[in-house]
């Protein structure tokens, strides 16, 4: 299974949108980069589905353009005018050559889901490897209206409990993708650090 970050060259703020190639070609989030559908088209003529981790604007801004270009199925937890399939906790979605379990992970967003297979984790914004706050295990912000640090902490624990020991690759909504290092840091290690840091209940981005 090949994963391509199709928003890597964005010049405006966007999430990481990932094109997953394999038996079933899927885009995880659409991002806000104008022309993302053209980048997808550089790698595939057909897009079977888009899976939305949550509907913050930086994740769905270009969803309409992608749907107009490829007419894929659209999977999302919450209602959306373009949604064709509702996601629920414990559902399974085929992406690339792997089967992913849907894990409901609210806190950063009420409709947030993560996607876990035996090898890979698409974590949206609930858990990232690096960002402006931490470099090796961070968590989604919870300082905006409707967000909850307590719900996010609970979601991180749920994600850890349902993370197979075989997972070796992390594809987060922001920051860099990460793969287990031989004899070193692992996705699970980074998630455990993110939990410890979230549980400090300190502002993620203290005011200067």
């Amino acid at each position: 299974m090949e994963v391509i970050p199709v928003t890597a060259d964005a010049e405006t703020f966007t999430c990481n949108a990932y094109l997953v190639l394999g038996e079933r070609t899927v885009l995880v989030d659409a991002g806000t980069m104008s022309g993302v559908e053209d980048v997808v088209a550089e790698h595939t003529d057909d897009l079977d589905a888009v899976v939305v981790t949550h509907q913050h604007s930086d994740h769905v801004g270009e969803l309409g353009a992608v749907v107009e270009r490829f007419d894929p199925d659209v999977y999302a937890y919450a209602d959306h005018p373009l949604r064709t399939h509702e996601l629920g906790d414990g559902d399974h979605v085929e992406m690339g050559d792997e089967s992913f379990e849907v894990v409901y992970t609210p806190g950063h967003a009420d409709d947030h889901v993560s996607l876990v297979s035996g090898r890979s984790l698409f974590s949206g914004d609930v858990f990232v490897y690096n960002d402006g706050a931490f470099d090796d295990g961070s968590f989604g912000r919870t300082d905006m209206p409707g967000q909850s640090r307590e719900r996010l902490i609970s979601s991180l624990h749920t994600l850890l409990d349902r993370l197979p020991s075989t997972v070796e690759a992390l594809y987060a909504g922001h920051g860099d993708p990460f793969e287990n290092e031989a004899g070193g840091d692992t996705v699970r290690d980074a998630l455990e650090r993110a939990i410890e840091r979230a549980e400090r209940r300190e502002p993620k981005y203290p005011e200067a």
Side-chain angles (χ1 to χ4, degrees):
M1 184 180 81
E2 184 179 3
V3 179
I4 301 170
V6 292
T7 50
D9 294 330
E11 297 180 357
T12 56
F13 179 73
T14 180
C15 75
N16 295 325
Y18 296 103
L19 180 63
V20 186
L21 299 177
E23 184 69 23
R24 190 167 189 243
T25 303
V26 176
L27 184 68
V28 179
D29 290 324
T32 56
M33 186 184 80
S34 178
V36 67
E37 70 277 15
D38 296 325
V39 180
V40 171
E42 292 174 4
H43 301 280
T44 183
D45 293 329
D46 300 301
L47 183 66
D48 296 308
V50 179
V51 177
V52 177
T53 62
H54 62 295
Q55 295 185 37
H56 284 174
S57 60
D58 58 317
H59 288 253
V60 298
E62 290 296 309
L63 180 59
V66 171
V67 169
E68 182 176 356
R69 180 70 168 268
F70 295 101
D71 192 28
D73 292 335
V74 177
Y75 292 76
Y77 183 89
D79 191 27
H80 187 281
L82 297 175
R83 185 181 73 175
T84 61
H85 295 75
E86 180 181 358
L87 292 176
D89 185 66
D91 288 350
H92 284 81
V93 179
E94 304 301 316
M95 303 195 310
D97 302 314
E98 300 176 19
S99 179
F100 287 79
E101 182 184 12
V102 177
V103 182
Y104 180 48
T105 47
H108 175 74
D110 287 343
D111 65 331
H112 198 291
V113 295
S114 301
L115 307 157
V116 185
S117 74
R119 179 192 178 276
S120 308
L121 166 61
F122 290 85
S123 59
D125 289 0
V126 70
F127 162 51
V128 304
Y129 187 74
N130 54 7
D131 57 16
F134 302 103
D135 292 333
D136 58 358
S138 192
F139 55 92
R141 66 186 305 165
T142 56
D143 59 325
M144 305 291 283
Q147 298 178 333
S148 167
R149 177 68 65 89
E150 298 307 314
R151 291 187 80 191
L152 181 133
I153 290 170
S154 177
S155 291
L156 290 172
H157 280 284
T158 298
L159 192 56
L160 183 64
D161 289 343
R162 292 166 66 176
L163 190 74
S165 60
T166 52
V167 166
E168 58 187 42
L170 167 66
Y171 303 100
H174 298 279
D176 298 319
F178 172 77
E179 292 191 4
N180 289 359
E181 300 169 349
D185 208 15
T186 68
V187 173
R188 179 173 291 272
D189 292 336
L191 179 53
E192 289 175 343
R193 284 193 296 270
I195 292 171
E196 186 275 327
R197 289 161 174 166
E199 287 180 337
R200 296 174 192 168
R201 294 173 173 81
E202 299 170 350
K204 182 178 177 183
Y205 297 106
E207 294 183 8

